[in-house]
PDB file of all heavy atoms in Angstrom:
ATOM      1  N   GLU A  38     108.294  89.842  99.315  1.00 98.00           N
ATOM      2  CA  GLU A  38     107.135  90.002 100.195  1.00 98.00           C
ATOM      3  C   GLU A  38     105.915  90.335  99.365  1.00 98.00           C
ATOM      4  O   GLU A  38     106.023  90.721  98.214  1.00 98.00           O
ATOM      5  CB  GLU A  38     107.396  91.105 101.204  1.00 98.00           C
ATOM      6  CG  GLU A  38     107.586  92.478 100.575  1.00 98.00           C
ATOM      7  CD  GLU A  38     107.866  93.558 101.607  1.00 98.00           C
ATOM      8  OE1 GLU A  38     106.909  93.981 102.258  1.00 98.00           O
ATOM      9  OE2 GLU A  38     109.034  93.939 101.734  1.00 98.00           O
ATOM     10  N   ILE A  39     104.743  90.167  99.975  1.00 97.00           N
ATOM     11  CA  ILE A  39     103.506  90.570  99.321  1.00 97.00           C
ATOM     12  C   ILE A  39     103.424  92.084  99.330  1.00 97.00           C
ATOM     13  O   ILE A  39     102.970  92.694  98.373  1.00 97.00           O
ATOM     14  CB  ILE A  39     102.293  89.920 100.017  1.00 97.00           C
ATOM     15  CG1 ILE A  39     102.262  88.419  99.714  1.00 97.00           C
ATOM     16  CG2 ILE A  39     100.993  90.595  99.582  1.00 97.00           C
ATOM     17  CD1 ILE A  39     101.177  87.640 100.413  1.00 97.00           C
ATOM     18  N   GLY A  40     103.880  92.677 100.420  1.00 96.00           N
ATOM     19  CA  GLY A  40     103.791  94.127 100.580  1.00 96.00           C
ATOM     20  C   GLY A  40     102.681  94.474 101.560  1.00 96.00           C
ATOM     21  O   GLY A  40     101.595  93.873 101.516  1.00 96.00           O
ATOM     22  N   GLU A  41     102.974  95.406 102.452  1.00 97.00           N
ATOM     23  CA  GLU A  41     101.986  95.791 103.471  1.00 97.00           C
ATOM     24  C   GLU A  41     100.735  96.348 102.782  1.00 97.00           C
ATOM     25  O   GLU A  41     100.820  97.207 101.902  1.00 97.00           O
ATOM     26  CB  GLU A  41     102.583  96.835 104.394  1.00 97.00           C
ATOM     27  CG  GLU A  41     101.758  97.082 105.618  1.00 97.00           C
ATOM     28  CD  GLU A  41     102.477  97.973 106.603  1.00 97.00           C
ATOM     29  OE1 GLU A  41     102.338  99.206 106.487  1.00 97.00           O
ATOM     30  OE2 GLU A  41     103.162  97.421 107.477  1.00 97.00           O
ATOM     31  N   GLU A  42      99.587  95.849 103.228  1.00 97.00           N
ATOM     32  CA  GLU A  42      98.325  96.259 102.628  1.00 97.00           C
ATOM     33  C   GLU A  42      97.170  96.055 103.578  1.00 97.00           C
ATOM     34  O   GLU A  42      97.298  95.378 104.600  1.00 97.00           O
ATOM     35  CB  GLU A  42      98.074  95.474 101.328  1.00 97.00           C
ATOM     36  CG  GLU A  42      97.988  93.980 101.516  1.00 97.00           C
ATOM     37  CD  GLU A  42      97.912  93.204 100.214  1.00 97.00           C
ATOM     38  OE1 GLU A  42      97.861  93.825  99.127  1.00 97.00           O
ATOM     39  OE2 GLU A  42      97.879  91.975 100.267  1.00 97.00           O
ATOM     40  N   VAL A  43      96.035  96.674 103.221  1.00 97.00           N
ATOM     41  CA  VAL A  43      94.775  96.518 103.951  1.00 97.00           C
ATOM     42  C   VAL A  43      93.691  96.334 102.910  1.00 97.00           C
ATOM     43  O   VAL A  43      93.611  97.115 101.941  1.00 97.00           O
ATOM     44  CB  VAL A  43      94.479  97.763 104.808  1.00 97.00           C
ATOM     45  CG1 VAL A  43      93.106  97.616 105.466  1.00 97.00           C
ATOM     46  CG2 VAL A  43      95.553  97.979 105.851  1.00 97.00           C
ATOM     47  N   HIS A  44      92.856  95.333 103.087  1.00 96.00           N
ATOM     48  CA  HIS A  44      91.678  95.160 102.235  1.00 96.00           C
ATOM     49  C   HIS A  44      90.466  95.564 103.091  1.00 96.00           C
ATOM     50  O   HIS A  44      90.042  94.772 103.925  1.00 96.00           O
ATOM     51  CB  HIS A  44      91.542  93.715 101.767  1.00 96.00           C
ATOM     52  CG  HIS A  44      92.755  93.160 101.103  1.00 96.00           C
ATOM     53  ND1 HIS A  44      93.289  93.689  99.939  1.00 96.00           N
ATOM     54  CD2 HIS A  44      93.566  92.140 101.451  1.00 96.00           C
ATOM     55  CE1 HIS A  44      94.346  93.000  99.590  1.00 96.00           C
ATOM     56  NE2 HIS A  44      94.553  92.059 100.492  1.00 96.00           N
ATOM     57  N   PRO A  45      89.939  96.767 102.898  1.00 97.00           N
ATOM     58  CA  PRO A  45      88.901  97.274 103.791  1.00 97.00           C
ATOM     59  C   PRO A  45      87.668  96.392 103.913  1.00 97.00           C
ATOM     60  O   PRO A  45      87.099  96.281 105.008  1.00 97.00           O
ATOM     61  CB  PRO A  45      88.525  98.642 103.189  1.00 97.00           C
ATOM     62  CG  PRO A  45      89.712  99.025 102.361  1.00 97.00           C
ATOM     63  CD  PRO A  45      90.306  97.750 101.878  1.00 97.00           C
ATOM     64  N   ASP A  46      87.234  95.780 102.812  1.00 96.00           N
ATOM     65  CA  ASP A  46      85.984  95.029 102.827  1.00 96.00           C
ATOM     66  C   ASP A  46      86.157  93.569 102.450  1.00 96.00           C
ATOM     67  O   ASP A  46      85.188  92.895 102.088  1.00 96.00           O
ATOM     68  CB  ASP A  46      84.992  95.676 101.832  1.00 96.00           C
ATOM     69  CG  ASP A  46      84.743  97.129 102.206  1.00 96.00           C
ATOM     70  OD1 ASP A  46      84.458  97.404 103.377  1.00 96.00           O
ATOM     71  OD2 ASP A  46      84.824  97.979 101.308  1.00 96.00           O
ATOM     72  N   THR A  47      87.402  93.057 102.496  1.00 97.00           N
ATOM     73  CA  THR A  47      87.685  91.697 102.037  1.00 97.00           C
ATOM     74  C   THR A  47      88.416  90.892 103.083  1.00 97.00           C
ATOM     75  O   THR A  47      89.459  91.305 103.572  1.00 97.00           O
ATOM     76  CB  THR A  47      88.529  91.734 100.750  1.00 97.00           C
ATOM     77  OG1 THR A  47      87.845  92.489  99.748  1.00 97.00           O
ATOM     78  CG2 THR A  47      88.803  90.343 100.228  1.00 97.00           C
ATOM     79  N   ASP A  48      87.838  89.741 103.460  1.00 98.00           N
ATOM     80  CA  ASP A  48      88.538  88.791 104.327  1.00 98.00           C
ATOM     81  C   ASP A  48      89.476  87.975 103.430  1.00 98.00           C
ATOM     82  O   ASP A  48      89.218  87.784 102.227  1.00 98.00           O
ATOM     83  CB  ASP A  48      87.538  87.824 104.975  1.00 98.00           C
ATOM     84  CG  ASP A  48      86.638  88.520 105.975  1.00 98.00           C
ATOM     85  OD1 ASP A  48      87.100  89.398 106.718  1.00 98.00           O
ATOM     86  OD2 ASP A  48      85.446  88.170 106.009  1.00 98.00           O
ATOM     87  N   GLN A  49      90.558  87.458 104.026  1.00 98.00           N
ATOM     88  CA  GLN A  49      91.543  86.679 103.268  1.00 98.00           C
ATOM     89  C   GLN A  49      92.018  85.509 104.114  1.00 98.00           C
ATOM     90  O   GLN A  49      92.315  85.692 105.301  1.00 98.00           O
ATOM     91  CB  GLN A  49      92.712  87.585 102.889  1.00 98.00           C
ATOM     92  CG  GLN A  49      93.728  86.927 101.990  1.00 98.00           C
ATOM     93  CD  GLN A  49      94.823  87.893 101.551  1.00 98.00           C
ATOM     94  OE1 GLN A  49      94.900  89.035 101.991  1.00 98.00           O
ATOM     95  NE2 GLN A  49      95.683  87.416 100.673  1.00 98.00           N
TER      96      GLN A  49
END
Side-chain angles (χ1 to χ4, degrees):
E38 63 182 283
I39 289 176
E41 191 172 88
E42 59 187 358
V43 175
H44 307 299
D46 302 311
T47 302
D48 293 320
Q49 185 175 6

